[in-house]
Amino acid sequence: NTVSSMHKDYNADLDQTISSDLADNYFKVLPQNLLPNTTAATIKTALGNTVVNGTKKINGQSVLGNIKALAENDAEFIKALKDDALIGQIHLILDANQTKVTPTYLANQDKMNKLMRTYMKGQMDVFSDRKIFPDANSTLRVTYGKVDGYQPRDAVYYEPITHMEGIVEKYIPGDYEFDLPKHMLHLYETKDYGKYSDKSGKLPVNFIATNHTTGGNSGSPALNAKGELIGLNFDRVWEGTMSDLNYDPEICRNIMVDSRYILWVVDKYANAQRLIDEMTIIDESK
């Protein structure tokens, strides 16, 4: 079932065409000394006779179809994969990358890391009045901000908080991204939000703020001024995806899931009362 769902939108002819063009481009742009011991023509031939895209069958069956039947004979299935023309070509490309590209890449990366020290020292000397945050990798990074909407373009303003209504507006039955469980829809329809709704009676879902985040900050706790957990960071707004290079406080916003929505899912949807009992939940209305 998993393989079938993965291939439900797969177009083997389109994949073969694109892969063929990529093979031509690969041998065209890569320096000769870094190329694998094969040719674009060999790869393109393999694309027409491989179990990967279904152009080659195993006992008359394609791996894109009845994978369960094929898996019943593990030895035959594994042998077919080992003997596959395209998989053999991929091995050659991986070997070339490992032996010809990776050593040079790592050496250059080491040089860049050392030069970065000089670059950072230069920034700190020249811009002595600037506050420069440490790299988030392998360090504890704390950033602060305020919950605030933003105006990405003329006559458009994004409110800082979204609600359960927004989830239902995007609901598409059976869709990979926008389907919803029946129980969750029932809770929404009956407005069974428990103690997690806001003062307007709505259930908060996400909120945005001016915190400067980067890749690797997903899952970080969002705390209020009292040190209480109010959400979890997980994304940035579309207009702020350039903030690693240029942080613009007018439009850069990080996105956090509201702790009230998390608690609602744990409590009302999952009925995991044992987890709720372990927490100290602060009622903001008190």
Side-chain angles (χ1 to χ4, degrees):
N1 288 338
T2 301
V3 174
S4 298
S5 64
M6 287 173 60
H7 288 118
K8 65 183 178 63
D9 297 320
Y10 178 69
N11 186 310
D13 292 335
L14 179 61
D15 183 28
Q16 189 170 347
T17 299
I18 293 175
S19 298
S20 179
D21 289 345
L22 286 173
D24 284 332
N25 193 56
Y26 177 70
F27 281 85
K28 180 180 178 181
V29 302
L30 206 67
Q32 188 69 32
N33 62 311
L34 300 180
L35 289 172
N37 186 26
T38 185
T39 65
T42 305
I43 295 175
K44 291 163 74 171
T45 299
L47 284 166
N49 185 33
T50 173
V51 297
V52 175
N53 60 19
T55 51
K56 181 180 180 180
K57 306 291 191 295
I58 303 175
N59 288 334
Q61 297 185 84
S62 168
V63 296
L64 305 183
N66 193 355
I67 190 72
K68 183 178 179 181
L70 293 170
E72 290 175 355
N73 191 337
D74 289 345
E76 188 174 5
F77 185 38
I78 292 172
K79 183 179 185 303
L81 295 178
K82 287 182 177 180
D83 295 341
D84 190 82
L86 183 61
I87 293 176
Q89 292 299 303
I90 293 172
H91 275 303
L92 292 176
I93 295 172
L94 292 175
D95 288 343
N97 186 70
Q98 190 68 27
T99 58
K100 299 179 180 181
V101 178
T102 300
T104 303
Y105 169 79
L106 293 177
N108 287 335
Q109 187 63 54
D110 185 56
K111 293 178 182 177
M112 289 171 61
N113 291 340
K114 292 176 179 177
L115 288 171
M116 182 59 72
R117 300 175 188 173
T118 304
Y119 173 62
M120 286 304 302
K121 185 178 185 305
Q123 286 196 86
M124 296 172 72
D125 290 343
V126 175
F127 306 108
S128 58
D129 58 331
R130 285 181 56 185
K131 294 179 180 179
I132 301 177
F133 289 102
D135 191 334
N137 295 324
S138 303
T139 65
L140 177 63
R141 178 176 180 177
V142 179
T143 180
Y144 61 91
K146 65 177 181 178
V147 176
D148 194 13
Y150 71 106
Q151 186 173 352
R153 53 191 177 276
D154 184 48
V156 174
Y157 178 77
Y158 289 138
E159 297 289 342
I161 300 175
T162 62
H163 299 87
M164 187 66 188
E165 282 76 6
I167 293 180
V168 177
E169 284 176 6
K170 300 178 181 68
Y171 169 52
I172 303 175
D175 185 83
Y176 172 73
E177 292 184 292
F178 300 110
D179 198 2
L180 288 173
K182 291 183 178 178
H183 182 46
M184 184 170 285
L185 283 170
H186 173 72
L187 291 172
Y188 165 75
E189 291 166 356
T190 57
K191 297 298 181 287
D192 189 359
Y193 298 148
K195 57 186 176 183
Y196 307 113
S197 59
D198 60 17
K199 294 178 181 179
S200 70
K202 295 182 177 182
L203 178 65
V205 176
N206 295 323
F207 62 99
I208 56 175
T210 59
N211 299 352
H212 188 184
T213 59
T214 187
N217 290 148
S218 291
S220 298
L223 310 176
N224 63 13
K226 300 177 183 178
E228 298 162 345
L229 181 68
I230 60 172
L232 296 174
N233 179 75
F234 71 91
D235 206 349
R236 280 176 279 182
V237 298
W238 176 250
E239 292 83 3
T241 52
M242 83 308 185
S243 61
D244 282 343
L245 304 174
N246 180 35
Y247 178 79
D248 184 346
E250 294 298 320
I251 60 173
C252 288
R253 299 289 185 273
N254 68 309
I255 309 176
M256 294 154 282
V257 58
D258 197 295
S259 60
R260 289 168 290 186
Y261 180 72
I262 298 172
L263 290 169
W264 177 75
V265 170
V266 173
D267 187 349
K268 305 298 291 185
Y269 173 72
N271 196 29
Q273 189 61 44
R274 64 193 183 283
L275 298 178
I276 297 296
D277 293 341
E278 294 177 3
M279 305 180 200
T280 300
I281 300 175
I282 307 298
D283 189 343
E284 64 173 7
S285 63
K286 294 180 180 179

